[in-house]
Amino acid sequence: MGTKIGVGLLGLGTVGAGVVKILRSPQGRHPLVQELELARVAVRDLGRPRPVTIPLDQLTTDPKAVVDDPAVQVVVEVIGGIEPARSLIMRAVAAGKSVVTANKAVIARHGEEITAAAATAGVYVLTEAAVGGGIPIIEPLKQFLGANRIQRVSGIINATTNYILSRMAQDEIAYDAVLEEAQAYGYAELDPSADVNGLDAADKIAILAGLAFGGSIDRASVSTVGISNLQRCDVDYAGRLGYNIKLLSTAERTAQEPNLNMKISQPLAVYVCPTLIPKNHLLADVNGVNNAILVEGEPIGQLMFHGPGAGAGPTASAIVGDILNIASICRLHNNRLSYLPTVSNWQNCHLVQQEKIQQRNYIRIQTHHNHDVAERVSNILNNQGVPIQSVTRFDTANSNDGDTEIIIISHKVSRQQISTALRSIKALREVTCLAAHLNCL
């Protein structure tokens, strides 16, 4: 088939090592894997022990040397973070080289800039590994689902939090203990804040929203709530009421009909928050480090993508898949990349104000035992136009003074409406604490 396609690797951590292992064992894989050749690798420390051995003359501590190497046609960026990753991607694109990246933080914040530069240069920047690990979701949204009017994309797209919540539900373990366990197993970083505070999931849903709805998404405006304040009792109550709690990421149209006039900005609700999911829902039984993404549109209906959401194997699989995508078109057009299609915004989008987001609600109120409290709380909600689905009373654990917890599930209302009602509820003398407020499907 001619000269092999040189791959330059920026980063040789867990994922980078996974990519190397695939490239070095092409047997049984797509024949084009044999046409890929690891040309150069950038690392932080030449002397650090690694799970794969790379010849010293292929290693460098200067990532620019990898990008600029004439033997490199495709640059793979797996160093993470915003900088220098963004600058290196832009440098590769300017040099006429395609890029494959797993960097959701860069794509969520600078995707529009990078896409425009790639279109001008006639190269690809592929990002399948940035969302969902080994789950193929980026290319389906970019291409195969283009005939659909997408109404909603929602999913469980952070493996760390899904592992924590699964363990809390299945084995009745408290949050802090499960987090320590996840760190010991390598499912959570020593600093888990990006995962447990929902920031990683917000990066990913911003990327998916931009692809699904065809417009640039302001990452800074994505409403984000994590799981770090979630109480063990809420996981238990949710289970008893027929729900599982998941960190759910959602992007959805707020208008019933799509805007056909592209000069009109499409309003979207994009948010991340712990959510009660009915146990018969498609996403309810996605457990452990698995991820799942549910796409809803017309005429496709509901389509779910499910699989491992993290780890060296799944992420490396997605990265090499992107490299093969580039390599196949490169081979088809005699090593010319100018024929590659590029993704561009075809619609203006804006995020609605957070207080206008519509959602169902789970509310847990701690109160002194009083038969009138539930009725008074219900009256407040009704007066604020918050329709109630159910009210359930639970005795407080280890309580000898008759304290009670009231669990209210509401129908869908705006966040502004529910916030106003909750302020009045907290002011009731009998209410000792508004203990929890979660989203509910």
Side-chain angles (χ1 to χ4, degrees):
M1 282 191 174
T3 306
K4 291 192 174 184
I5 295 172
V7 176
L9 188 58
L10 305 179
L12 194 58
T14 303
V15 173
V19 171
V20 172
K21 290 176 181 178
I22 293 175
L23 298 184
R24 285 181 170 176
S25 59
Q27 297 79 14
R29 309 185 197 278
H30 191 285
L32 198 52
V33 176
Q34 299 181 47
E35 300 301 310
L36 306 178
E37 183 173 63
L38 188 65
R40 201 112 188 247
V41 181
V43 296
R44 288 193 177 93
D45 181 359
L46 293 175
R48 179 181 175 183
R50 294 180 178 86
V52 291
T53 301
I54 305 292
L56 193 59
D57 61 353
Q58 286 188 329
L59 293 175
T60 177
T61 56
D62 181 8
K64 294 178 182 177
V66 174
V67 174
D68 297 341
D69 192 323
V72 171
Q73 284 82 53
V74 180
V75 175
V76 176
E77 184 275 307
V78 286
I79 57 178
I82 304 296
E83 289 292 354
R86 174 200 155 276
S87 296
L88 291 167
I89 292 171
M90 294 294 287
R91 186 184 185 98
V93 168
K97 301 182 181 186
S98 288
V99 176
V100 174
T101 179
N103 196 324
K104 62 266 181 183
V106 164
I107 298 304
R109 292 161 179 80
H110 301 287
E112 189 173 12
E113 172 194 21
I114 291 169
T115 296
T120 299
V123 299
Y124 249 173
V125 176
L126 298 188
T127 60
E128 190 65 69
V131 180
I135 303 172
I137 182 62
I138 299 295
E139 289 303 312
L141 284 175
K142 283 167 60 177
Q143 299 181 45
F144 311 123
L145 295 174
N148 290 268
R149 293 191 181 106
I150 304 299
Q151 179 62 33
R152 181 182 297 104
V153 177
S154 59
I156 299 162
I157 51 180
N158 181 270
T160 299
T161 53
N162 200 44
Y163 175 82
I164 292 171
L165 293 174
S166 298
R167 290 280 284 134
M168 289 177 70
Q170 295 169 353
D171 299 293
E172 300 184 359
I173 303 175
Y175 169 82
D176 289 339
V178 182
L179 176 57
E180 289 184 8
E181 178 183 277
Q183 289 171 322
Y185 288 154
Y187 297 149
E189 302 288 343
L190 290 179
D191 178 5
S193 56
D195 292 318
V196 300
N197 292 334
L199 305 179
D200 173 85
D203 288 345
K204 294 173 180 176
I205 196 62
I207 294 171
L208 294 179
L211 293 171
F213 299 107
S216 178
I217 302 300
D218 179 13
R219 166 61 183 84
S221 297
V222 175
S223 173
T224 308
V225 179
I227 67 167
S228 56
N229 293 322
L230 188 66
Q231 299 297 308
R232 174 73 194 80
C233 63
D234 290 309
V235 176
D236 177 58
Y237 290 150
R240 293 162 70 177
L241 293 171
Y243 297 88
N244 290 332
I245 296 182
K246 301 291 184 181
L247 184 66
L248 192 68
S249 303
T250 302
E252 59 187 349
R253 296 183 189 270
T254 59
Q256 292 299 313
E257 296 294 334
N259 287 310
L260 300 181
N261 182 349
M262 296 309 169
K263 294 182 180 179
I264 300 175
S265 181
Q266 171 66 56
L268 302 174
V270 182
Y271 52 96
V272 176
C273 56
T275 302
L276 277 73
I277 300 178
K279 290 186 177 181
N280 61 357
H281 192 277
L282 287 172
L283 294 170
D285 288 330
V286 178
N287 293 315
V289 294
N290 287 318
N291 280 190
I293 299 152
L294 183 65
V295 179
E296 301 173 68
E298 183 277 321
I300 194 67
Q302 292 185 329
L303 184 64
M304 191 166 86
F305 299 78
H306 175 265
T315 307
S317 169
I319 288 171
V320 176
D322 276 347
I323 299 173
L324 292 175
N325 192 359
I326 295 168
S328 62
I329 299 176
C330 182
R331 284 290 185 240
L332 181 64
H333 296 289
N334 299 319
N335 292 321
R336 294 176 60 193
L337 294 175
S338 58
Y339 293 92
L340 289 171
T342 57
V343 176
S344 60
N345 293 338
W346 50 268
Q347 180 172 234
N348 293 324
C349 295
H350 70 274
L351 302 190
V352 300
Q353 296 175 341
Q354 294 185 22
E355 60 266 26
K356 293 183 179 180
I357 292 175
Q358 299 275 323
Q359 65 183 58
R360 293 175 66 224
N361 299 270
Y362 163 98
I363 304 162
R364 176 164 61 90
I365 300 166
Q366 292 181 352
T367 175
H368 294 304
H369 185 64
N370 186 314
H371 292 294
D372 296 331
V373 174
E375 182 178 354
R376 296 178 68 182
V377 168
S378 297
N379 288 337
I380 289 173
L381 293 171
N382 288 327
N383 290 338
Q384 291 297 328
V386 179
I388 300 171
Q389 175 181 307
S390 65
V391 179
T392 308
R393 191 191 304 268
F394 292 102
D395 290 334
T396 305
N398 302 318
S399 175
N400 296 317
D401 56 8
D403 281 1
T404 298
E405 293 193 317
I406 298 173
I407 309 297
I408 298 168
I409 304 291
S410 83
H411 291 291
K412 186 175 286 189
V413 293
S414 72
R415 289 184 176 181
Q416 184 174 32
Q417 284 176 278
I418 197 69
S419 294
T420 301
L422 292 180
R423 284 195 295 269
S424 297
I425 290 171
K426 288 170 67 175
L428 291 175
R429 184 182 61 212
E430 298 87 352
V431 172
T432 56
C433 179
L434 176 60
H437 176 209
L438 304 174
N439 190 25
C440 184
L441 283 189

